[in-house]
Amino acid sequence: MQLAFDELGTPLRDVTFVIVDLETTGGAPDGGDITEIGAVKVRGGEVLGEFATLVDPGQPIPPQIVALTGITTAMVRSAPRIEHVLPAFLAFAEGAVLVAHNAGFDTSFLKAACRAHGYAWPTPVVLCTLKLARRVLRGEVRSHRLSTLAALFGASTTPTHRALDDARATVDVLHGLLERVGPLGVQSLEELLDYLPDVTPAQRRKRDLAKDLPERPGVYLFRGPSDEVLYVGTAGNLRRRVRQYFTSSESRGRIKEMVALAERVDTVECAHTLEAAVRELRLLAAHRPAYNRRSRNPGKVWWVVLTDEPFPRLSVVRRPRDGALGPFGSRARAKTAADTLAGIARLRTCTDRIPASGASGSACVLAELGSCGAPCTGAQTIEQYRPSVRLVSDLVQGTDATLLHRGSDELDELASAHRFERAARRRDELAALLRAVDKRHRLTALAAVAELVAAAPDGSGGWEFAVVRHGRLASAGVARRGVPPMPVVDALVASAETVLPEPGPLRGANPEETALLWRWLTRPGVRLVRTSTPWAEPLHGAGRWRTWLDTVDTATALETAGDAVS
């Protein structure tokens, strides 16, 4: 039976490939960092562009890596950090098939960097030239190393263990391999991915599930035999993304099991990828699908609050109220932040309820160490205790950073006394507290705005719009190139979801959704169209300490590298 053009898939001559190579300080993301990225964008055999940059890994480059690549610590000292490089690389590779020689290595580092710095991994189609070479060149070469294959196919660039050179060599290897599989009937991207091994018959049979899906951004839901939601995901192109589940580019065992169970795929079309990401969060919370790891504890966060009693203390709770510090992803992190903050502020940590008239108990160890004023013994009155409580409240609200300065001074004293191990622990505790306060200020500032309209360039001369109300996405839309944008904005605002603020620091918004919106709003190129009130973080908030946090990150990375070498 002759296949329709729609079933043939994407002709290889029309596929945009981004061939990437990384240089790193180690063999795995948990012990190494990226030092160089090189990439080449090609389509139909023509080079469309190149991307190359050194990256400061924040740690010394091991001697054996220097000997292999020639990249020294001095060379990367003035290079940008990976969090500044990632947005540019992700934009360069957007919508393309990602190609690498031993792709699992390169993608593992890129995924880890995205995860560490709050960028969403775009889940591109990934093609590994090493796997393809092993399939195509069985018995023809002794080794499938890049240098061997480059020589076999007469690559114009010799691999040198430098990222751009190796990426250029991989381009020629890719083209050589594609010439080999063409006579075998591999003419489309889908046929190429199917040609690779490790595609189960169950995956192949389910390909029809993607046949009628739209080629638009949105959310997809795999449903099982009883119509239950098995898995939820997002895509910039729904049809292309769902098709990947039925090719060798999908190697996760759990997901293959899910595909075997799936009976159909439902989709929710969205205006753009931001709307898709928000709807994914909401659907995960609603359905808690068994095959999504993120759905195990949706919305489960913790907060730190001051108790309502004459001598307040800090308590970890699930339900926030005004003045709460958070959100925290785990109770342990919330407890650590509470203990650090109580120590700096000299708040009590005991759980005894102390009457307003005072008490006459015995002092605990913290009181003897000077970390608590011992109100439990009657040594402090309510009036004497109240300034410490006010300092905590003011720090959380962003009106007074006295406690941060006090914590920094204590850290300097420990270092001056050569108590370096204790100073390092205190530094890490203070940094964790700072990040929590900074996150609180960022999210609450956005949640406080009743309505905010923002626009991001869509890359084709048009605009993507988001209407945000109290930290929630209320409406989303686009104005394509040539379409007047303001009438679109007016229509989106008029049809936007009504959001009634609730009590609490985030006005009832899901912390994950608000954080997602904050990251989108602060991307380069995003513009504010209008706001009901100014969107601003507190003047005396943790934002001023972000440079200090960068310094701490660098010091921690250096210590980790030193431990690894020793």
Side-chain angles (χ1 to χ4, degrees):
M1 181 177 177
Q2 185 174 357
L3 294 176
F5 283 110
D6 181 60
E7 294 170 306
L8 286 173
T10 310
L12 287 172
R13 64 179 177 275
D14 295 333
V15 176
T16 301
F17 295 99
V18 168
I19 296 86
V20 64
D21 185 81
L22 306 181
E23 300 302 330
T24 66
T25 61
D30 58 353
D33 291 286
I34 297 170
T35 59
E36 188 176 34
I37 300 179
V40 183
K41 183 183 293 186
V42 298
R43 183 172 62 240
E46 178 184 354
V47 175
L48 304 180
E50 293 186 338
F51 181 99
T53 181
L54 290 168
V55 180
D56 179 7
Q59 59 171 297
I61 299 177
Q64 65 272 22
I65 301 297
V66 174
L68 179 67
T69 67
I71 300 174
T72 65
T73 303
M75 289 171 62
V76 300
R77 186 167 291 130
S78 60
R81 298 293 297 271
I82 188 62
E83 58 265 32
H84 302 303
V85 172
L86 270 176
F89 173 75
L90 293 176
F92 179 79
E94 185 177 6
V97 174
L98 203 62
V99 182
H101 200 69
N102 189 14
F105 172 86
D106 300 274
T107 57
S108 68
F109 275 90
L110 291 170
K111 287 179 183 178
C114 285
R115 190 165 51 248
H117 298 290
Y119 293 98
W121 175 246
T123 61
V125 176
V126 177
L127 179 63
C128 179
T129 51
L130 176 60
K131 289 183 179 180
L132 185 58
R134 286 171 176 166
R135 178 83 162 89
V136 174
L137 304 174
R138 289 177 178 172
E140 189 172 336
V141 290
R142 291 183 178 181
S143 166
H144 296 93
R145 298 177 64 177
L146 180 59
S147 56
T148 303
L149 300 181
L152 175 68
F153 291 113
S156 57
T157 303
T158 301
T160 61
H161 289 292
R162 290 299 300 269
L164 186 58
D165 282 348
D166 288 6
R168 287 169 173 168
T170 307
V171 170
D172 291 333
V173 170
L174 172 65
H175 288 158
L177 292 170
L178 294 182
E179 289 177 4
R180 292 290 190 95
V181 299
L184 301 177
V186 178
Q187 302 294 327
S188 70
L189 175 62
E190 289 73 20
E191 289 169 334
L192 177 62
L193 296 173
D194 275 355
Y195 178 77
L196 291 167
D198 203 28
V199 179
T200 67
Q203 283 178 285
R204 294 180 190 275
R205 286 194 299 269
K206 296 294 178 71
R207 182 187 291 177
D208 282 349
L209 296 180
K211 184 174 60 174
D212 299 321
L213 299 186
E215 297 194 60
R216 288 182 48 80
V219 184
Y220 55 90
L221 300 88
F222 279 87
R223 291 187 178 270
S226 301
D227 209 38
E228 73 277 22
V229 176
L230 301 173
Y231 187 84
V232 176
T234 63
N237 183 315
L238 286 164
R239 186 179 178 200
R240 182 191 303 160
R241 177 67 187 105
V242 173
R243 272 185 169 185
Q244 293 175 30
Y245 287 90
F246 314 117
T247 69
S248 63
S249 64
E250 181 51 70
S251 58
R252 294 170 292 177
R254 280 172 52 84
I255 300 304
K256 287 185 177 181
E257 179 183 298
M258 182 276 295
V259 170
L261 291 172
E263 295 291 333
R264 78 171 197 270
V265 180
D266 292 340
T267 61
V268 180
E269 292 187 44
C270 299
H272 43 67
T273 54
L274 172 66
E275 183 188 6
V278 170
R279 292 193 180 278
E280 179 192 32
L281 285 175
R282 295 176 182 178
L283 287 168
L284 286 172
H287 295 286
R288 300 194 179 189
Y291 288 89
N292 281 92
R293 296 189 185 278
R294 291 175 62 191
S295 68
R296 291 180 178 178
N297 296 300
K300 185 176 181 179
V301 295
W302 301 85
W303 301 80
V304 174
V305 300
L306 283 162
T307 57
D308 186 12
E309 52 186 321
F311 294 91
R313 58 185 176 83
L314 292 170
S315 177
V316 176
V317 299
R318 290 294 310 280
R319 185 180 295 275
R321 58 174 180 260
D322 290 336
L325 173 62
F328 295 90
S330 70
R331 192 182 191 284
R333 290 180 182 176
K335 179 68 166 58
T336 299
D339 290 344
T340 303
L341 186 53
I344 298 173
R346 312 291 196 270
L347 287 185
R348 71 186 185 96
T349 58
C350 58
T351 57
D352 297 338
R353 193 165 188 87
I354 305 173
S357 58
S360 58
S362 57
C364 65
V365 174
L366 291 178
E368 294 176 358
L369 293 174
S371 298
C372 175
C376 58
T377 67
Q380 266 186 320
T381 64
I382 291 178
E383 289 72 22
Q384 292 170 328
Y385 189 81
R386 187 174 292 125
S388 295
V389 177
R390 187 175 62 252
L391 286 175
V392 170
S393 179
D394 289 349
L395 173 63
V396 173
Q397 297 294 345
T399 58
D400 190 335
T402 296
L403 290 182
L404 297 180
H405 291 285
R406 182 186 293 179
S408 178
D409 291 343
E410 291 176 358
L411 183 59
D412 291 340
E413 291 174 5
L414 288 170
S416 298
H418 301 289
R419 300 174 61 185
F420 298 120
E421 290 187 7
R422 176 61 185 140
R425 288 196 302 271
R426 193 60 170 173
R427 176 203 64 198
D428 294 342
E429 293 167 353
L430 185 60
L433 174 63
L434 257 170
R435 290 190 180 94
V437 174
D438 191 25
K439 184 177 182 180
R440 200 263 186 197
H441 292 166
R442 292 197 311 262
L443 300 189
T444 55
L446 181 56
V449 180
E451 182 177 278
L452 178 152
V453 183
D458 67 359
S460 302
W463 295 95
E464 298 176 347
F465 297 110
V467 179
V468 180
R469 292 177 174 171
H470 291 299
R472 282 165 278 195
L473 183 66
S475 184
V478 295
R480 298 304 181 197
R481 183 176 182 177
V483 175
M486 293 315 297
V488 176
V489 169
D490 294 336
L492 289 173
V493 170
S495 61
E497 174 188 351
T498 299
V499 176
L500 299 177
E502 301 174 14
L506 296 186
R507 307 298 200 273
N510 180 325
E512 277 193 272
E513 181 173 335
T514 306
L516 181 67
L517 293 170
W518 185 90
R519 287 195 295 270
W520 186 84
L521 290 167
T522 55
R523 291 190 317 174
V526 175
R527 302 181 183 181
L528 296 185
V529 179
R530 65 174 71 143
T531 61
S532 57
T533 55
W535 174 31
E537 296 177 19
L539 177 63
H540 298 287
R544 293 186 172 187
W545 292 74
R546 287 172 191 162
T547 302
W548 185 86
L549 282 174
D550 291 340
T551 304
V552 171
D553 290 340
T554 301
T556 303
L558 291 171
E559 290 170 5
T560 302
D563 291 341
V565 171
S566 61

